[in-house]
Amino acid sequence: STIRIRDFHRHDELQELAVSFNQMLDRMQRYIDQQKEFVGDVSHELRTPVAVIEGHLSMLKRWGKDDPQILDESIDASLQEAKRMQHLIQEMLDLTRAEQINVQYPYAVTKVSEVLKRVVGDMSLVHKDFTIRLDMDDLPADTEIQIYQGHLEQLLVILIDNGVKYSTDRKEMNVSAGLSQDEVHIIVQDFGEGISKEEQGKIFNRFYRVDKARTREKGGNGLGLSIAQKLVTSYHGNISVDSVEGQGSQFIMVFPALSESQAKKLRQREEN
Ligand code: ADP
C-alpha cells in the first residue's frame, strides 16, 4: 500500500509539472505574439517616412536637375523625414530598453526634489514661452525613490514636452510632488486640449496618437507615454491620467518612497 501512496504523490507531482510547463509555454507564446505585433507596428510606422523620402528622390531624379526649386524642396523634405526616422528609431530603442531597466540599474536611488528642480529649470529654458511652476510643499526635501536618475529625468521630459505640445492658449504648466503614506506622487499638469475619457484608455499603447495627422506634424510618434509607462512600472510605480477635454490634463506618477534604511542598503549594494 505504501507504493500506491507514493505513486499517488508522483502522479500529483507530474500533474503539477505539466501544469507549470503549460503555463510556461503560454507565456512564451504570448511573448512571441507580442514581438510579432511589435515588428508589425514598427514596419507600419517606418513605411510613411520611407515612402515620403522615396517620393522626393523620384521627383529629384526626374526634374531636380533642371529645377533648382524642386531640388531645394525635395532635399529639405527628405532631410526632415530622415531626422524623423532617426527620432523614431531612438524612441523604439528606448521602449525596448525600458522593459529591462531593473536588470540594468537594480540599486539606483534618486533624490526626487533635486531632479525635479533641475528638469523644471532646464525645461523652462527650452520652452521659453511657457511658465512652468514647481510646487514641492508636500515633499520633504530628502525624499528618495528607487530609480535611475536619468530615467526620472526622461519621464519628466516626456510629460512636460507633451503638456507643451498639446497646449494652445494657456501656456502654463504645474509640476508638483508630495509624499503621503510612504508614496511619492509626482503630478504634471497642463491646461491644454485635454483627452476624452475614451482616448484616455488608449494613449499609453505604443504608436497610439489621438489625431495621427496632427500629431505627426508636431513630431510625435505615439511612443512617449508607452516608454513612460514601461519605465514607471519597471520601478514598481504607477502612471495614470486625469483629463477633461478642452480644459487640460494631469499625469500622475506614484512611486514607493524609500525609508532611510532601504536607501542606505541600496547604496551599499551599488558600491559593491
Ligand atoms: P506623442 O509622441 O505622439 O506625443 P505619446 O505617447 O507621448 O506620443 O502620447 C500619445 C498621444 O496622447 C498623443 O499623440 C496625444 O494625442 C495624447 N496626449 C499625450 N499627452 C497629452 C497631453 N498632455 N494633452 C493632450 N493630449 C495628450
Side-chain angles (χ1 to χ4, degrees), residues 162 165-166 190 195 203 208-210 215 220-222 224-225 249:
N162 275 352
K165 261 196 285 187
Y166 304 110
D190 66 63
I195 307 154
I203 52 173
Y208 189 81
R209 284 151 283 191
V210 172
T215 310
N221 296 311
L225 288 178
S249 313

Side-chain angles (χ1 to χ4, degrees), residues 213-243:
R214 208 154 52 95
T215 310
R216 192 165 194 278
E217 265 167 42
K218 297 184 185 191
N221 296 311
L223 286 178
L225 288 178
S226 19
I227 294 169
Q229 189 174 47
K230 289 252 155 63
L231 277 177
V232 171
T233 344
S234 69
Y235 287 112
H236 315 293
N238 184 59
I239 182 169
S240 57
V241 62
D242 185 6
S243 178

Side-chain angles (χ1 to χ4, degrees), residues 87-177:
H87 179 65
L88 176 61
I89 289 164
Q90 184 57 51
E91 283 196 324
M92 291 189 308
L93 278 175
D94 285 349
L95 184 67
T96 17
R97 281 192 196 125
E99 290 169 5
Q100 311 147 9
I101 288 314
N102 269 338
V103 188
Q104 279 179 283
Y105 305 98
Y107 311 125
V109 173
T110 290
K111 197 176 279 184
V112 180
S113 59
E114 274 175 15
V115 174
L116 279 173
K117 259 185 240 161
R118 193 173 49 245
V119 174
V120 169
D122 289 351
M123 294 302 276
S124 301
L125 289 178
V126 177
H127 304 292
K128 283 217 171 66
D129 53 338
F130 259 78
T131 309
I132 310 175
R133 277 181 296 264
L134 176 60
D135 169 7
M136 300 194 291
D137 289 353
D138 298 324
L139 183 78
D142 52 1
T143 309
E144 292 182 305
I145 58 176
Q146 183 177 1
I147 191 169
Y148 166 62
Q149 184 178 306
H151 288 138
L152 184 56
E153 289 169 3
Q154 191 177 5
L155 284 166
L156 291 163
V157 169
I158 290 172
L159 296 181
I160 296 174
D161 267 342
N162 275 352
V164 169
K165 261 196 285 187
Y166 304 110
S167 287
T168 37
D169 332 320
R170 254 179 97 176
K171 301 201 177 303
E172 289 169 54
M173 284 185 77
N174 294 327
V175 177
S176 59

